[in-house]
Amino acid sequence: MQTDDIFLTKVPKRVLQKTPKSLKSKCKMLKIGQALPVSTLGWAANLKMQLNESTDQTFEYWTEPQTSAHKYRQLDHNQRKSIKVFIGRIA
């Protein structure tokens, strides 16, 4: 194969400046001390495990107001909506 046959083009700015849409990608871009909101506690726990295994960074999740996982599971859907869940990079 000859390289003369390949047409070269520049990468468009819209591709270079594209921001990641998935929460996992956004979490990987967090600096220490930054956090993102997550919809449920189960999703936060799963995401924490995946990120800690796949990167050399350390992530943790928490709720505001502080609620145990056991108590969170016992709440109905409307009560869970009032509790904010976050995942953040701690190291």
XYZ file of all heavy atoms in Angstrom:
739
model
N 0.837 -1.184 0.000
C 0.000 0.000 0.000
C 0.876 1.239 0.000
O 1.863 1.319 0.717
C -0.898 -0.020 1.244
C -1.823 1.144 1.341
S -2.882 0.924 2.770
C -3.318 2.596 3.040
N 0.519 2.182 -0.761
C 1.275 3.424 -0.830
C 0.575 4.508 -0.027
O -0.646 4.614 -0.032
C 1.395 3.887 -2.285
C 2.183 2.944 -3.160
C 2.212 3.457 -4.594
O 1.470 4.364 -4.955
N 3.077 2.876 -5.399
N 1.361 5.327 0.646
C 0.776 6.410 1.431
C 0.342 7.569 0.548
O -0.401 8.430 0.991
C 1.770 6.933 2.489
O 2.968 7.319 1.828
C 2.056 5.876 3.517
N 0.775 7.601 -0.673
C 0.375 8.663 -1.586
C -1.125 8.601 -1.887
O -1.729 9.611 -2.269
C 1.148 8.563 -2.901
C 2.653 8.743 -2.683
O 3.045 9.283 -1.628
O 3.412 8.329 -3.567
N -1.731 7.443 -1.715
C -3.148 7.258 -2.025
C -4.067 7.762 -0.909
O -5.266 7.892 -1.108
C -3.457 5.787 -2.276
C -2.673 5.258 -3.470
O -2.178 6.079 -4.268
O -2.563 4.035 -3.583
N -3.503 8.026 0.271
C -4.321 8.418 1.420
C -4.506 9.930 1.441
O -3.547 10.690 1.382
C -3.671 7.947 2.735
C -3.532 6.428 2.728
C -4.491 8.405 3.929
C -2.742 5.888 3.893
N -5.763 10.340 1.522
C -6.094 11.762 1.579
C -6.076 12.201 3.044
O -6.782 11.653 3.875
C -7.472 11.996 0.962
C -7.912 13.422 1.028
C -7.328 14.389 0.220
C -8.909 13.819 1.901
C -7.734 15.710 0.278
C -9.318 15.136 1.966
C -8.730 16.094 1.157
N -5.257 13.172 3.376
C -5.158 13.670 4.743
C -6.056 14.876 4.940
O -6.212 15.704 4.051
C -3.714 14.064 5.065
C -2.678 12.951 4.986
C -1.294 13.515 5.233
C -3.000 11.853 5.976
N -6.630 14.972 6.108
C -7.483 16.109 6.439
C -7.283 16.466 7.904
O -6.780 15.658 8.684
C -8.976 15.795 6.168
O -9.731 16.961 6.394
C -9.470 14.667 7.029
N -7.655 17.668 8.278
C -7.543 18.103 9.669
C -8.757 17.614 10.464
O -9.848 17.497 9.910
C -7.470 19.631 9.751
C -6.183 20.220 9.214
C -6.222 21.711 9.296
C -5.562 22.132 10.574
N -5.451 23.596 10.706
N -8.540 17.386 11.742
C -9.643 17.013 12.625
C -10.458 18.280 12.907
O -9.895 19.301 13.304
C -9.102 16.414 13.945
C -10.241 16.088 14.890
C -8.252 15.187 13.670
N -11.771 18.237 12.707
C -12.596 19.428 12.940
C -12.557 19.867 14.405
O -12.414 19.043 15.309
C -14.006 18.977 12.566
C -13.852 17.711 11.827
C -12.554 17.120 12.205
N -12.703 21.165 14.640
C -12.684 21.702 16.010
C -13.809 21.112 16.855
O -13.633 20.883 18.044
C -12.803 23.225 15.987
C -11.539 23.918 15.591
C -11.682 25.421 15.712
C -10.386 26.090 15.279
N -10.474 27.543 15.366
N -14.953 20.861 16.248
C -16.077 20.316 17.006
C -15.752 18.941 17.582
O -16.255 18.564 18.630
C -17.339 20.254 16.156
C -17.230 19.341 14.959
C -18.507 19.346 14.116
N -18.298 18.710 12.848
C -18.263 17.401 12.656
N -18.468 16.587 13.657
N -18.043 16.902 11.448
N -14.876 18.192 16.906
C -14.466 16.877 17.406
C -13.409 17.042 18.501
O -13.450 16.362 19.522
C -13.927 15.994 16.262
C -13.378 14.682 16.791
C -15.013 15.751 15.240
N -12.478 17.968 18.307
C -11.437 18.207 19.303
C -12.005 18.763 20.603
O -11.517 18.457 21.689
C -10.379 19.175 18.754
C -9.492 18.650 17.632
C -8.621 19.773 17.091
C -8.633 17.502 18.123
N -13.034 19.580 20.500
C -13.610 20.230 21.672
C -14.800 19.468 22.244
O -15.473 19.954 23.144
C -14.033 21.651 21.313
C -12.868 22.519 20.919
C -13.319 23.858 20.348
O -14.495 24.062 20.079
N -12.380 24.757 20.163
N -15.046 18.274 21.759
C -16.198 17.491 22.194
C -16.039 17.107 23.666
O -15.000 16.612 24.082
C -16.309 16.237 21.338
C -17.547 15.433 21.582
C -17.617 14.281 20.606
C -18.849 13.458 20.843
N -18.923 12.320 19.942
N -17.072 17.358 24.439
C -17.044 16.992 25.844
C -17.673 15.624 26.015
O -18.649 15.294 25.338
C -17.813 18.008 26.707
O -19.139 18.087 26.222
C -17.160 19.374 26.666
N -17.135 14.822 26.918
C -17.715 13.493 27.122
C -19.117 13.595 27.707
O -19.388 14.449 28.534
C -16.751 12.832 28.101
C -15.973 13.928 28.715
C -15.988 15.070 27.766
N -20.000 12.733 27.244
C -21.386 12.778 27.700
C -21.653 11.771 28.820
O -22.557 11.957 29.613
C -22.323 12.526 26.532
C -22.287 13.632 25.494
C -23.411 13.487 24.518
C -23.385 14.400 23.354
N -23.148 15.750 23.470
N -20.894 10.697 28.890
C -21.160 9.691 29.909
C -20.612 10.137 31.265
O -19.599 10.827 31.356
C -20.545 8.348 29.515
O -19.148 8.383 29.671
N -21.288 9.734 32.303
C -20.889 10.101 33.655
C -19.525 9.503 34.007
O -18.704 10.140 34.661
C -21.945 9.646 34.663
C -21.738 10.070 36.096
C -21.681 11.589 36.208
C -22.851 9.541 36.975
N -19.277 8.300 33.522
C -17.994 7.640 33.794
C -16.839 8.453 33.207
O -15.821 8.664 33.858
C -18.013 6.225 33.211
C -16.904 5.344 33.686
C -17.135 3.935 33.152
C -16.231 2.940 33.762
N -16.482 1.585 33.266
N -17.001 8.946 31.992
C -15.968 9.765 31.356
C -15.786 11.086 32.087
O -14.665 11.557 32.271
C -16.325 10.046 29.897
O -16.403 8.860 29.177
N -16.894 11.683 32.515
C -16.805 12.942 33.252
C -16.112 12.745 34.587
O -15.345 13.599 35.031
C -18.199 13.528 33.461
C -18.817 14.071 32.197
C -20.193 14.625 32.458
C -20.838 15.133 31.194
N -22.194 15.630 31.418
N -16.373 11.628 35.248
C -15.734 11.350 36.538
C -14.220 11.208 36.387
O -13.463 11.647 37.247
C -16.299 10.072 37.154
S -17.927 10.267 37.880
N -13.785 10.606 35.293
C -12.351 10.426 35.069
C -11.633 11.765 34.899
O -10.442 11.862 35.129
C -12.108 9.549 33.842
C -12.450 8.096 34.078
C -12.203 7.276 32.836
C -12.576 5.830 33.053
N -12.366 4.998 31.862
N -12.383 12.805 34.531
C -11.793 14.127 34.324
C -11.803 14.985 35.595
O -11.248 16.074 35.603
C -12.540 14.854 33.204
C -12.356 14.206 31.852
S -13.398 14.888 30.544
C -13.203 16.630 30.746
N -12.418 14.487 36.669
C -12.502 15.256 37.908
C -11.135 15.446 38.546
O -10.284 14.571 38.477
C -13.411 14.549 38.919
C -14.902 14.506 38.631
C -15.608 13.680 39.690
C -15.479 15.892 38.576
N -10.956 16.584 39.187
C -9.760 16.841 39.979
C -10.075 16.429 41.415
O -11.232 16.265 41.789
C -9.389 18.314 39.919
C -8.973 18.778 38.540
C -8.625 20.254 38.548
C -8.066 20.679 37.222
N -9.057 21.029 36.235
N -9.038 16.260 42.227
C -9.229 15.884 43.623
C -10.096 16.944 44.307
O -9.845 18.135 44.203
C -7.882 15.726 44.344
C -7.110 14.556 43.738
C -8.068 15.522 45.846
C -5.697 14.390 44.247
N -11.133 16.495 44.995
C -12.038 17.398 45.690
C -13.276 17.786 44.901
O -14.154 18.452 45.431
N -13.381 17.369 43.648
C -14.556 17.687 42.838
C -15.523 16.504 42.845
O -15.111 15.353 42.997
C -14.157 18.005 41.402
C -13.389 19.295 41.247
C -13.062 19.582 39.793
O -12.757 18.680 39.017
N -13.120 20.848 39.422
N -16.814 16.796 42.668
C -17.835 15.747 42.682
C -18.922 16.039 41.659
O -19.089 17.174 41.221
C -18.452 15.652 44.067
N -19.650 14.984 41.304
C -20.774 15.091 40.378
C -22.003 14.439 41.002
O -21.874 13.458 41.734
C -20.459 14.357 39.066
C -19.421 14.981 38.148
C -19.077 14.007 37.028
C -19.962 16.272 37.562
N -23.192 14.955 40.710
C -24.406 14.307 41.221
C -24.704 13.021 40.457
O -24.413 12.907 39.269
C -25.496 15.348 40.981
C -24.975 16.197 39.877
C -23.479 16.187 39.993
N -25.256 12.042 41.168
C -25.628 10.748 40.595
C -27.100 10.522 40.939
O -27.585 11.001 41.961
C -24.750 9.623 41.180
C -25.072 8.288 40.561
C -23.280 9.927 40.998
N -27.810 9.792 40.104
C -29.254 9.650 40.327
C -29.609 8.707 41.472
O -30.554 8.967 42.203
C -29.951 9.213 39.039
O -29.426 7.988 38.599
N -28.897 7.595 41.645
C -29.243 6.651 42.722
C -28.000 6.180 43.459
O -26.883 6.229 42.931
C -29.963 5.406 42.175
O -29.056 4.672 41.346
C -31.207 5.762 41.393
N -28.203 5.681 44.662
C -27.104 5.185 45.479
C -26.488 3.927 44.864
O -25.274 3.747 44.881
C -27.606 4.897 46.895
C -26.552 4.625 47.951
C -25.663 5.848 48.142
C -27.208 4.248 49.262
N -27.327 3.062 44.300
C -26.823 1.841 43.668
C -25.924 2.147 42.486
O -24.880 1.502 42.290
N -26.303 3.129 41.697
C -25.499 3.527 40.545
C -24.169 4.106 41.016
O -23.121 3.842 40.431
C -26.277 4.528 39.706
C -25.690 4.787 38.356
C -24.789 4.002 37.675
C -25.956 5.899 37.519
N -24.494 4.577 36.458
C -25.190 5.739 36.340
C -26.760 7.020 37.634
C -25.214 6.665 35.304
C -26.779 7.916 36.593
C -26.019 7.732 35.449
N -24.209 4.894 42.084
C -22.981 5.487 42.620
C -22.027 4.411 43.119
O -20.824 4.474 42.873
C -23.320 6.459 43.745
N -22.552 3.403 43.800
C -21.709 2.317 44.317
C -21.069 1.539 43.167
O -19.873 1.213 43.207
C -22.539 1.395 45.196
N -21.848 1.242 42.142
C -21.343 0.516 40.983
C -20.289 1.338 40.239
O -19.240 0.824 39.851
C -22.504 0.159 40.054
C -22.092 -0.736 38.917
O -21.129 -1.485 39.026
N -22.816 -0.665 37.828
N -20.566 2.620 40.052
C -19.636 3.510 39.354
C -18.327 3.648 40.134
O -17.246 3.633 39.555
C -20.295 4.867 39.157
C -19.627 5.850 38.216
C -19.449 5.255 36.830
C -20.455 7.121 38.124
N -18.423 3.765 41.455
C -17.227 3.867 42.302
C -16.337 2.635 42.109
O -15.127 2.750 41.915
C -17.634 3.988 43.771
C -16.457 3.927 44.710
C -16.903 3.687 46.133
C -15.724 3.258 46.959
N -16.089 2.773 48.268
N -16.947 1.447 42.157
C -16.184 0.215 42.003
C -15.497 0.161 40.635
O -14.308 -0.130 40.536
C -17.107 -0.996 42.162
C -16.399 -2.329 42.088
S -17.539 -3.719 42.166
C -18.434 -3.515 40.636
N -16.227 0.492 39.571
C -15.664 0.454 38.222
C -14.519 1.453 38.062
O -13.479 1.134 37.483
C -16.739 0.747 37.188
C -17.751 -0.351 37.029
C -18.822 0.019 36.014
O -18.671 0.952 35.233
N -19.924 -0.718 36.030
N -14.699 2.675 38.562
C -13.670 3.709 38.418
C -12.423 3.390 39.228
O -11.307 3.590 38.763
C -14.231 5.071 38.835
C -15.245 5.688 37.876
C -15.965 6.842 38.540
C -14.568 6.140 36.596
N -12.595 2.887 40.441
C -11.446 2.554 41.279
C -10.641 1.401 40.681
O -9.422 1.358 40.824
C -11.876 2.230 42.708
C -12.274 3.468 43.487
O -11.895 4.580 43.139
N -13.044 3.277 44.537
N -11.315 0.462 40.005
C -10.620 -0.660 39.375
C -9.921 -0.255 38.074
O -8.848 -0.753 37.770
C -11.594 -1.802 39.094
C -12.044 -2.537 40.325
C -13.080 -3.608 40.021
O -13.499 -3.743 38.843
O -13.492 -4.295 40.965
N -10.535 0.650 37.315
C -10.009 0.965 35.985
C -9.022 2.137 35.963
O -8.367 2.354 34.954
C -11.155 1.253 35.013
O -11.828 2.447 35.375
N -8.928 2.902 37.043
C -8.013 4.043 37.071
C -7.135 3.969 38.307
O -7.400 3.187 39.226
C -8.774 5.391 37.105
O -9.501 5.486 38.327
C -9.729 5.534 35.937
N -6.097 4.791 38.344
C -5.242 4.866 39.528
C -5.732 5.950 40.486
O -5.062 6.284 41.452
C -3.780 5.105 39.139
C -3.606 6.383 38.335
O -4.620 6.964 37.893
O -2.449 6.794 38.153
N -6.919 6.482 40.238
C -7.526 7.504 41.088
C -8.452 6.825 42.097
O -8.855 5.679 41.903
C -8.319 8.486 40.225
C -7.473 9.137 39.153
C -8.323 9.816 38.074
O -9.534 9.698 38.063
N -7.662 10.503 37.177
N -8.789 7.538 43.170
C -9.687 6.997 44.186
C -10.967 7.808 44.222
O -10.929 9.025 44.355
C -9.014 7.025 45.575
O -7.761 6.351 45.487
C -9.876 6.340 46.612
N -12.098 7.122 44.106
C -13.413 7.763 44.106
C -14.220 7.280 45.305
O -14.018 6.174 45.792
C -14.165 7.439 42.812
C -13.543 8.048 41.590
C -12.538 7.399 40.903
C -13.961 9.285 41.136
C -11.950 7.960 39.786
C -13.380 9.862 40.015
C -12.372 9.200 39.340
N -15.138 8.123 45.757
C -16.029 7.782 46.868
C -17.399 8.397 46.594
O -17.499 9.380 45.880
C -15.452 8.309 48.179
C -16.167 7.814 49.425
C -16.205 6.300 49.530
O -15.141 5.675 49.703
O -17.300 5.743 49.413
N -18.435 7.803 47.156
C -19.779 8.362 47.010
C -20.355 8.651 48.386
O -19.932 8.098 49.389
C -20.701 7.425 46.219
C -20.974 6.101 46.888
C -22.056 5.948 47.748
C -20.164 5.004 46.660
C -22.303 4.740 48.367
C -20.396 3.801 47.268
C -21.477 3.666 48.124
O -21.722 2.464 48.742
N -21.334 9.575 48.431
C -21.990 9.936 49.681
C -23.354 10.532 49.384
O -23.680 10.820 48.233
C -21.133 10.910 50.495
C -20.958 12.243 49.846
C -21.725 13.362 50.032
C -19.977 12.609 48.881
N -21.276 14.390 49.247
C -20.195 13.953 48.527
C -18.917 11.933 48.267
C -19.408 14.624 47.609
C -18.139 12.602 47.351
C -18.378 13.926 47.028
N -24.125 10.698 50.428
C -25.459 11.281 50.294
C -25.559 12.549 51.132
O -24.866 12.703 52.132
C -26.560 10.301 50.761
O -26.350 9.993 52.136
C -26.556 9.038 49.945
N -26.410 13.456 50.700
C -26.738 14.667 51.461
C -28.242 14.734 51.578
O -28.917 14.767 50.555
C -26.217 15.921 50.749
C -24.723 16.044 50.709
C -24.100 16.303 52.074
O -24.801 16.807 52.973
O -22.921 15.994 52.233
N -28.850 14.728 52.719
C -28.247 14.543 54.030
C -27.710 13.124 54.196
O -28.121 12.215 53.482
C -29.407 14.807 54.991
C -30.636 14.487 54.206
C -30.297 14.832 52.778
N -26.794 12.965 55.139
C -26.133 11.677 55.345
C -27.168 10.608 55.693
O -27.966 10.762 56.606
C -25.114 11.800 56.474
C -24.284 10.557 56.669
C -23.218 10.755 57.725
O -23.063 11.835 58.270
N -22.485 9.709 57.996
N -27.152 9.522 54.910
C -28.096 8.420 55.081
C -27.359 7.107 54.845
O -26.568 7.006 53.909
C -29.253 8.524 54.057
O -29.828 9.825 54.140
C -30.321 7.500 54.310
N -27.622 6.114 55.667
C -26.988 4.817 55.458
C -27.624 4.122 54.254
O -28.780 4.402 53.889
C -27.138 3.937 56.698
O -28.498 3.563 56.860
N -26.891 3.208 53.653
C -27.411 2.471 52.498
C -28.635 1.649 52.898
O -29.597 1.529 52.136
C -26.333 1.572 51.923
N -28.619 1.098 54.104
C -29.748 0.300 54.591
C -31.016 1.162 54.692
O -32.089 0.764 54.236
C -29.400 -0.308 55.954
C -30.513 -1.098 56.557
N -30.909 -2.320 56.064
C -31.334 -0.833 57.603
C -31.919 -2.775 56.778
N -32.192 -1.887 57.730
N -30.887 2.342 55.283
C -32.031 3.236 55.425
C -32.501 3.735 54.054
O -33.697 3.851 53.793
C -31.672 4.416 56.317
C -32.838 5.331 56.603
C -32.487 6.438 57.553
C -33.683 7.346 57.757
N -33.357 8.506 58.573
N -31.552 4.026 53.146
C -31.879 4.498 51.799
C -32.740 3.477 51.064
O -33.694 3.831 50.382
C -30.590 4.785 51.030
C -30.791 5.355 49.653
C -30.957 6.719 49.455
C -30.804 4.535 48.527
C -31.134 7.257 48.186
C -30.977 5.058 47.254
C -31.143 6.414 47.101
O -31.322 6.931 45.839
N -32.410 2.192 51.201
C -33.172 1.137 50.526
C -34.596 1.021 51.057
O -35.491 0.583 50.350
C -32.456 -0.209 50.679
C -31.257 -0.349 49.786
C -30.705 -1.781 49.816
N -29.301 -1.743 49.513
C -28.314 -1.862 50.401
N -28.584 -2.053 51.663
N -27.064 -1.809 50.025
N -34.803 1.387 52.315
C -36.131 1.274 52.922
C -37.054 2.435 52.548
O -38.254 2.352 52.742
C -36.004 1.200 54.445
C -35.339 -0.078 54.917
C -35.131 -0.086 56.422
O -35.116 0.955 57.054
N -34.967 -1.281 56.970
N -36.502 3.501 51.997
C -37.299 4.673 51.636
C -38.086 4.414 50.359
O -37.645 3.669 49.484
C -36.396 5.886 51.428
C -35.552 6.329 52.627
C -34.612 7.440 52.205
C -36.430 6.766 53.775
N -39.248 5.048 50.239
C -39.996 4.937 48.988
C -39.415 5.921 47.958
O -38.535 6.718 48.262
C -41.497 5.151 49.194
C -41.855 6.564 49.636
O -41.087 7.500 49.349
O -42.912 6.721 50.264
N -39.916 5.850 46.744
C -39.354 6.620 45.633
C -39.361 8.123 45.903
O -38.387 8.822 45.620
C -40.116 6.306 44.344
C -39.604 7.022 43.147
N -38.377 6.730 42.580
C -40.136 8.037 42.416
C -38.181 7.537 41.547
N -39.240 8.329 41.423
N -40.449 8.638 46.438
C -40.545 10.079 46.699
C -39.559 10.533 47.769
O -39.007 11.630 47.685
C -41.972 10.460 47.105
C -42.928 10.342 45.933
O -42.520 10.481 44.787
N -44.179 10.074 46.222
N -39.337 9.710 48.785
C -38.384 10.059 49.828
C -36.953 10.013 49.294
O -36.118 10.824 49.673
C -38.524 9.116 51.019
C -39.823 9.298 51.781
C -40.026 8.233 52.837
O -39.785 7.051 52.590
N -40.465 8.649 54.015
N -36.677 9.072 48.399
C -35.333 8.975 47.808
C -35.003 10.199 46.966
O -33.864 10.603 46.858
C -35.210 7.724 46.937
C -35.116 6.451 47.717
C -34.930 5.279 46.794
N -34.971 4.035 47.543
C -34.833 2.848 46.993
N -34.658 2.735 45.692
N -34.872 1.767 47.735
N -36.032 10.790 46.343
C -35.805 11.977 45.511
C -35.267 13.147 46.321
O -34.548 13.990 45.799
C -37.108 12.397 44.825
C -37.433 11.621 43.593
C -38.669 12.218 42.951
C -38.866 11.692 41.557
N -40.025 12.307 40.913
N -35.619 13.200 47.605
C -35.182 14.310 48.449
C -33.724 14.158 48.896
O -33.133 15.095 49.415
C -36.084 14.442 49.675
O -35.920 13.319 50.517
N -33.139 12.979 48.686
C -31.752 12.727 49.083
C -30.857 12.847 47.851
O -31.086 12.196 46.840
C -31.609 11.331 49.730
C -32.432 11.294 51.012
C -30.150 11.013 49.991
C -32.467 9.950 51.675
N -29.863 13.684 47.930
C -28.905 13.895 46.841
C -27.749 12.911 46.992
O -27.230 12.711 48.096
C -28.355 15.310 46.862
C -29.422 16.387 46.851
C -29.841 16.689 45.450
C -30.737 17.894 45.414
N -32.045 17.663 44.945
N -27.354 12.290 45.886
C -26.239 11.335 45.879
C -25.141 11.914 45.014
O -25.395 12.416 43.924
C -26.679 9.956 45.337
C -25.533 8.961 45.386
C -27.882 9.426 46.094
N -23.891 11.840 45.497
C -22.744 12.377 44.771
C -21.641 11.344 44.684
O -21.530 10.458 45.529
C -22.183 13.612 45.507
C -23.142 14.751 45.617
C -23.956 14.877 46.721
C -23.249 15.684 44.609
C -24.859 15.930 46.834
C -24.149 16.730 44.702
C -24.947 16.848 45.817
N -20.811 11.460 43.650
C -19.577 10.698 43.553
C -18.465 11.696 43.279
O -18.626 12.617 42.485
C -19.635 9.590 42.472
C -18.385 8.732 42.531
C -19.852 10.168 41.081
C -18.512 7.389 41.841
N -17.366 11.519 43.983
C -16.265 12.472 43.834
C -14.914 11.802 43.925
O -14.792 10.683 44.419
N -13.930 12.502 43.445
C -12.554 12.009 43.469
C -11.903 12.495 44.755
O -11.909 13.677 45.059
C -11.797 12.518 42.253
C -10.381 11.996 42.201
C -9.686 12.405 40.926
N -8.273 12.123 41.072
C -7.334 12.703 40.368
N -7.659 13.566 39.435
N -6.079 12.404 40.574
N -11.340 11.547 45.532
C -10.714 11.924 46.794
C -9.191 11.771 46.770
O -8.516 12.258 47.657
C -11.311 11.127 47.980
C -11.142 9.624 47.779
C -12.769 11.494 48.175
C -11.522 8.813 48.986
N -8.659 11.077 45.789
C -7.201 10.948 45.664
C -6.819 10.611 44.237
O -7.600 10.191 43.454
C -6.675 9.867 46.592
